[in-house]
Amino acid sequence: MSEHHVSHIPLDRTSPVIFKASVIIPVLNEAPHLQSRLLALQALREQGVELVVVDGGSQDGSPKLTKGLVDQCLVTERGRARQMNQGAAVARGTWLVFLHADTALTPAATQRLMTVIAADTPSWGRFNVRIIGQHPMLRVIAWMMNRRSCLTSIATGDQCILVHRELFNTINGYPEQPLMEDIELSRSLKSKMSAQCWPETVETSGRRWEQQGVWRTILLMWSLRWRYWRGASAEQLVKEYYECK
């Protein structure tokens, strides 16, 4: 994992305690939803889980909104993979939980999470995802994502990836590329062992799908994934990804 400039917001808890797990949340301009997401995770802190937010240079004051709600808040360069690696580097948990800012743990997923981290056997896995929104195709998309993931052991960030720190370190974390970083992480992890596909669901917002057009987004993502599989670079594809937004 490469070195980058990182600044810390003062910790709310500064003791060198080792946590059962660390939830790492990469953030970029998430002010409208960030506090509600963090409030929903406070019960985990009471059970020995650390919350780490890694901000990629938000312009909306997101880091200030984490005060009192997280154990660590970092401000670093933009880039989801880079942010998650920086979070993992400072996290004090035995398990690492990579949770997108627009994804929420359900009570069932939380219970499963606590059961998994109670064991110290290195492993990794992901949850089923449910996409919250009005368009009927969102349910179909989620079913396809979950099915494909179980068949291939390739997880997406929306599914909340849980990995034992020992296993994460053996593959040197996320590749710091601008797109498809979750695919590459999964490929590296599955070379060690297959993913556990937990049936409990996490819920992710479908607002970006609906704002950009569900069918348009489906075609875009399929096209990008196909071309990536065929050898196109993440640096090449990310330009088209953001041009189409």
Side-chain angles (χ1 to χ4, degrees):
M1 289 176 275
S2 57
E3 296 293 330
H4 299 278
H5 173 72
V6 180
S7 61
H8 284 70
I9 305 298
L11 306 187
D12 291 302
R13 290 188 283 179
T14 56
S15 63
V17 64
I18 300 300
F19 293 85
K20 296 177 183 177
S22 297
V23 176
I24 298 166
I25 307 173
V27 166
L28 183 65
N29 296 322
E30 291 287 346
H33 313 281
L34 185 57
Q35 281 191 317
S36 62
R37 293 298 192 202
L38 294 177
L39 284 169
L41 294 169
Q42 294 308 297
L44 284 177
R45 297 177 76 192
E46 299 173 5
Q47 299 181 69
V49 175
E50 179 184 36
L51 296 189
V52 181
V53 164
V54 189
D55 188 273
S58 293
Q59 302 300 309
D60 63 356
S62 287
K64 294 180 181 179
L65 299 177
T66 69
K67 187 175 181 180
L69 298 175
V70 301
D71 299 284
Q72 301 193 62
C73 180
L74 287 69
V75 179
T76 185
E77 297 174 41
R78 178 176 178 174
R80 183 173 280 166
R82 178 179 300 131
Q83 290 170 242
M84 290 188 289
N85 280 339
Q86 294 290 354
V90 303
R92 295 167 288 176
T94 303
W95 291 84
L96 303 173
V97 185
F98 297 101
L99 183 68
H100 286 185
D102 55 1
T103 298
L105 294 170
T106 61
T110 300
Q111 184 174 359
R112 170 72 72 169
L113 171 65
M114 297 307 298
T115 299
V116 172
I117 68 177
D120 199 31
T121 304
S123 64
W124 75 287
R126 96 302 177 265
F127 295 95
N128 278 345
V129 67
R130 177 171 173 249
I131 305 175
I132 305 300
Q134 298 299 316
H135 200 288
M137 274 302 296
L138 295 178
R139 187 175 300 177
V140 177
I141 294 166
W143 183 88
M144 292 177 67
M145 288 171 59
N146 296 331
R147 184 64 178 163
R148 179 189 65 209
S149 178
C150 274
L151 290 174
T152 63
S153 274
I154 299 294
T156 68
D158 292 330
Q159 292 173 304
C160 181
I161 297 174
L162 169 62
V163 57
H164 194 281
R165 175 184 292 279
E166 180 180 318
L167 187 57
F168 185 79
N169 288 344
T170 65
I171 64 165
N172 295 316
Y174 280 91
E176 294 197 2
Q177 58 189 58
L179 203 65
M180 309 294 181
E181 74 285 342
D182 47 2
I183 292 178
E184 288 305 319
L185 178 82
S186 296
R187 285 176 176 171
S188 296
L189 289 171
K190 82 179 225 179
S191 72
K192 306 294 183 181
M193 63 183 69
S194 296
Q196 297 186 48
C197 298
W198 298 300
E200 293 83 4
T201 59
V202 295
E203 296 179 340
T204 194
S205 171
R207 68 181 185 272
R208 292 190 177 97
W209 291 80
E210 294 182 324
Q211 288 170 358
Q212 296 161 21
V214 170
W215 286 108
R216 179 171 176 265
T217 304
I218 291 173
L219 292 174
L220 172 64
M221 296 309 299
W222 281 1
S223 172
L224 294 176
R225 284 177 177 270
W226 168 255
R227 292 174 58 200
Y228 187 70
W229 181 74
R230 295 281 292 172
S233 71
E235 288 74 18
Q236 176 185 352
L237 296 177
V238 75
K239 296 177 183 177
E240 298 180 33
Y241 176 72
Y242 284 107
E243 284 174 0
C244 292
K245 283 195 156 192

